[in-house]
Amino acid sequence: HTLYFLDHTALDLIIKSLKSPTMVCEGTHFDGKIPHTFVIFGASGDLAKKKIYPTLWWLYRDDLLPKPTKFCGYARSKLSIASLKASCLQYMKVQPHEQAKYEEFWALNEYVAGSYDGRTGFELLNQQLELMENKNKANRIFYLALPPSVFEEVTVNIKQICMSVCGWNRVIIEKPFGRDDASSQALSDHLAGLFHEEQLYRIDHYLGKEMVQNLMTIRFGNKILSSTWNRENIASVLITFKEPFGTQGRGGYFDEFGIIRDVMQNHLLQILSLVAMEKPVSCHPDDIRDEKVKVLKSIEALTVDDMVLGQYVGNPAGTTEDARTGYLEDPTVDKNSTTPTYALGVLKINNERWQGVPFILRCGKALNERKAEVRIQYQDVPGDIFEGSTKRNELVIRVQPGEALYFKMMTKSPGITFDIEETELDLTYEHRYKDSYLPDAYERLILDVFCGSQMHFVRSDELREAWRIFTPILHKIERERVQPITYQYGSRGPKQADRKCEENNFKYSGSYKWHGSKPATSNL
């Protein structure tokens, strides 16, 4: 028998064969032979050195980028490649045996210093890009790791001066996408005047996380779940994001936006739309996003009665400086600030599947643990014969830390007695997929941009609906200076939030004991 080894030509043939009408969704349009140039605006900033450069290096290290890909940073600071390389090093996770490849990666990098408002800097940048591409046909990706204040000028200059003439152009935009419905719409209109929607990639890094991407498969690939995913069986849905630290002396930026804009209106609402949407007609990105928009349209705008707002105070017994410092004691925060650092909101979806099922979004800083999860709580068993000792079933999808999917259920306790207790069907990734490497969310998302897949990016109509739900409450909080409830650093948050969960058919029994991590060697 002749053995055929897969080389790049064979791989190209496989990719071509995938381009059937049902398969043109995920990562199939990959121009492996055409030069690509990746431009990072704001290259001297925190996001670039902590996330973007490390992500590009990991993709390059793992040979996931098209072969002729080069990188060019742009910012106001006068930097050399050597100083940029030095400032990124601690975030790059370079192993000793990767040193040669790491040097190769930086050899593909250039940097241009220039202002964001004039044409001159962008003309210099374009000359540099043409030089890197040898004036050949090339595709260009522009990553805007920039404050919103310079967004408009930069995008106009990109459009007028820096666009690739022969290849495609794609623009990645970071949040915040405005601060309310009007500012977001103005930004969307501005971008729509410059680029087509298929050129725009609004990044929400939660859509790149393993378990968030898994939601579609869990729901639509399992009959046992898809049959019970409705108001007849589900009592409530709780989507949680918790951080165990405060603003760490950098509260100035946060104070301008608050936890609702920072986490709830984007990350948590995106997860809600994936949990609640109807089955799309295919896996095509636009079919999925159509369903997400449809479910968001069924949600009424939030009111003050739907919310619990909190703001943390220092814990005098705290072991760190951050723990002893309350939000208002952060030197960068206004002493009279009413900006919430904790928020709980109850959303109702007015459609046939979900009417009457509360979707509770909960997020906060300076809490007792780091956690992001979705908790689907099922109804009580009707006709109970166990004298009230049964607890509700729950499907828990843990996004971080330690990806897991587990189902809490009742069983007879082992042994001679006939007691019943809670246990779980458990899929913890580090046990089941011991040696799997789970890429960082940014790795998946940046690779999606190279491939032209917009499945995990936010479309302008999704954004419009999200702001419609949250703008009235945000304006009311700011206009009336609604006073948040104080909670101590390191606690579970305001007690009123637990009561709000109870009122909305979420029962917390506190009796369940997670079995803890089994010893496992893993690189997760």
Side-chain angles (χ1 to χ4, degrees):
H1 293 288
T2 316
L3 285 176
Y4 291 98
F5 291 97
L6 274 182
D7 61 4
H8 281 292
T9 336
L11 199 59
D12 289 345
L13 289 170
I14 292 168
I15 287 172
K16 276 203 180 72
S17 73
L18 286 173
K19 288 189 175 182
S20 67
T22 54
M23 284 300 292
V24 293
C25 45
E26 270 300 85
T28 53
H29 351 313
F30 198 72
D31 301 331
K33 303 280 190 289
I34 297 168
H36 289 66
T37 314
F38 195 99
V39 184
I40 302 118
F41 288 98
S44 59
D46 259 14
L47 182 68
K49 71 178 180 210
K50 288 180 182 172
K51 276 289 176 200
I52 304 167
Y53 278 108
T55 301
L56 292 170
W57 150 240
W58 298 330
L59 290 170
Y60 178 78
R61 175 196 67 194
D62 298 337
D63 292 323
L64 291 170
L65 296 177
K67 272 291 168 278
T69 299
K70 291 182 178 176
F71 314 94
C72 187
Y74 184 94
R76 286 186 281 235
S77 320
K78 297 221 175 328
L79 286 176
S80 65
I81 288 292
S83 61
L84 190 60
K85 183 177 170 183
S87 68
C88 293
L89 182 63
Q90 60 174 306
Y91 306 105
M92 301 296 249
K93 300 180 188 168
V94 188
Q95 302 302 316
H97 67 277
E98 296 164 351
Q99 204 54 49
K101 192 146 194 179
Y102 187 62
E103 298 305 325
E104 270 174 41
F105 168 74
W106 282 106
L108 296 168
N109 273 269
E110 296 292 344
Y111 178 83
V112 176
S115 73
Y116 292 126
D117 46 4
R119 286 179 63 89
T120 323
F122 288 83
E123 282 162 356
L124 282 170
L125 172 65
N126 195 49
Q127 285 166 21
Q128 178 65 56
L129 298 180
E130 286 179 348
L131 200 66
M132 290 162 76
E133 294 158 357
N134 296 328
K135 292 202 162 55
N136 290 331
K137 176 183 179 180
N139 299 325
R140 289 181 185 175
I141 295 173
F142 303 94
Y143 197 124
L144 273 60
L146 294 169
S149 51
V150 295
F151 240 59
E152 297 202 358
E153 300 152 335
V154 171
T155 46
V156 167
N157 282 323
I158 289 173
K159 173 68 177 178
Q160 291 176 352
I161 303 163
C162 296
M163 299 281 272
S164 168
V165 187
C166 304
W168 49 246
N169 296 274
R170 292 173 186 158
V171 181
I172 306 174
I173 304 159
E174 273 281 348
K175 71 175 179 111
F177 312 123
R179 49 178 297 110
D180 58 14
D181 53 4
S183 56
S184 175
Q185 192 57 51
L187 176 61
S188 288
D189 292 345
H190 168 79
L191 291 169
L194 299 171
F195 309 104
H196 299 298
E197 183 65 34
E198 60 267 22
Q199 292 177 302
L200 293 170
Y201 289 74
R202 292 175 193 82
I203 203 163
D204 180 330
H205 71 274
Y206 260 63
L207 292 177
K209 290 189 179 284
E210 177 73 30
M211 296 310 288
V212 176
Q213 295 197 349
N214 202 356
L215 275 167
M216 288 257 304
T217 312
I218 293 165
R219 280 197 59 189
F220 303 121
N222 295 293
K223 176 71 177 145
I224 194 166
L225 290 179
S226 58
S227 308
T228 60
W229 213 262
N230 53 43
R231 59 196 295 270
E232 280 74 38
N233 298 287
I234 290 173
S236 55
V237 177
L238 177 64
I239 302 173
T240 299
F241 169 93
K242 296 165 91 171
E243 277 182 338
F245 47 83
T247 49
Q248 297 171 323
R250 295 190 296 274
Y253 169 83
F254 180 85
D255 199 51
E256 210 182 313
F257 290 93
I259 196 82
I260 299 174
R261 287 188 181 91
D262 201 37
V263 179
M264 190 182 276
Q265 180 270 343
N266 38 60
H267 304 331
L268 299 192
L269 196 67
Q270 282 293 327
I271 293 175
L272 177 146
S273 63
L274 288 165
V275 169
M277 71 182 192
E278 295 299 314
K279 191 183 214 168
V281 294
S282 78
C283 282
H284 190 277
D286 273 333
D287 290 337
I288 292 164
R289 297 193 296 179
D290 287 347
E291 293 303 337
K292 285 166 74 183
V293 170
K294 212 182 287 179
V295 84
L296 291 177
K297 281 183 171 173
S298 308
I299 300 174
E300 284 182 23
L302 278 165
T303 66
V304 172
D305 294 339
D306 301 322
M307 304 284 299
V308 173
L309 303 171
Q311 191 183 75
Y312 71 88
V313 292
N315 178 355
T319 51
T320 63
E321 187 60 38
D322 190 46
R324 292 188 291 272
T325 310
Y327 180 66
L328 297 180
E329 289 151 11
D330 182 322
T332 60
V333 171
D334 173 14
K335 296 293 153 270
N336 301 311
S337 172
T338 56
T339 301
T341 61
Y342 177 100
L344 180 143
V346 182
L347 284 80
K348 301 280 173 60
I349 300 172
N350 183 27
N351 67 14
E352 191 177 4
R353 182 184 294 272
W354 295 116
Q355 189 179 342
V357 179
F359 279 73
I360 306 162
L361 307 186
R362 178 175 71 172
C363 52
K365 286 187 166 298
L367 294 170
N368 59 330
E369 60 186 336
R370 173 176 175 255
K371 185 162 80 171
E373 68 175 22
V374 182
R375 221 163 251 275
I376 316 280
Q377 191 171 87
Y378 281 76
Q379 307 269 20
D380 292 309
V381 175
D384 176 35
I385 58 168
F386 296 105
E387 299 166 354
S389 51
T390 55
K391 305 286 191 301
R392 286 179 168 182
N393 295 142
E394 271 182 17
L395 177 69
V396 183
I397 300 153
R398 194 166 63 221
V399 178
Q400 66 184 37
E403 291 81 355
L405 171 70
Y406 62 96
F407 188 72
K408 284 164 59 173
M409 57 180 289
M410 302 307 299
T411 182
K412 175 192 165 297
S413 57
I416 203 160
T417 60
F418 194 76
D419 295 334
I420 67 172
E421 66 174 24
E422 285 174 285
T423 185
E424 72 289 314
L425 297 176
D426 170 29
L427 167 60
T428 297
Y429 270 49
E430 66 171 330
H431 305 152
R432 179 66 179 81
Y433 302 114
K434 265 198 194 65
D435 302 315
S436 301
Y437 167 68
L438 294 184
D440 177 77
Y442 275 88
E443 283 181 76
R444 299 164 192 268
L445 294 174
I446 287 178
L447 196 56
D448 277 348
V449 180
F450 276 95
C451 297
S453 169
Q454 289 185 309
M455 182 189 291
H456 305 118
F457 294 85
V458 184
R459 207 166 62 182
S460 60
D461 50 353
E462 273 183 82
L463 199 54
R464 191 164 57 243
E465 290 305 322
W467 281 119
R468 176 191 60 73
I469 294 165
F470 281 94
T471 296
I473 185 73
L474 286 165
H475 282 178
K476 189 178 175 71
I477 290 167
E478 279 151 20
R479 196 173 54 244
E480 298 177 14
R481 293 185 64 76
V482 175
Q483 209 58 42
I485 303 156
T486 57
Y487 64 96
Q488 195 175 65
Y489 188 111
S491 67
R492 290 185 65 241
K495 296 273 184 289
Q496 289 87 331
D498 290 339
R499 283 205 290 279
K500 182 67 91 179
C501 286
E502 279 169 35
E503 287 163 20
N504 285 283
N505 206 7
F506 182 83
K507 286 188 183 172
Y508 174 70
S509 63
S511 57
Y512 173 73
K513 297 282 184 289
W514 175 246
H515 58 74
S517 291
K518 300 168 191 161
T521 50
S522 162
N523 58 358
L524 291 185

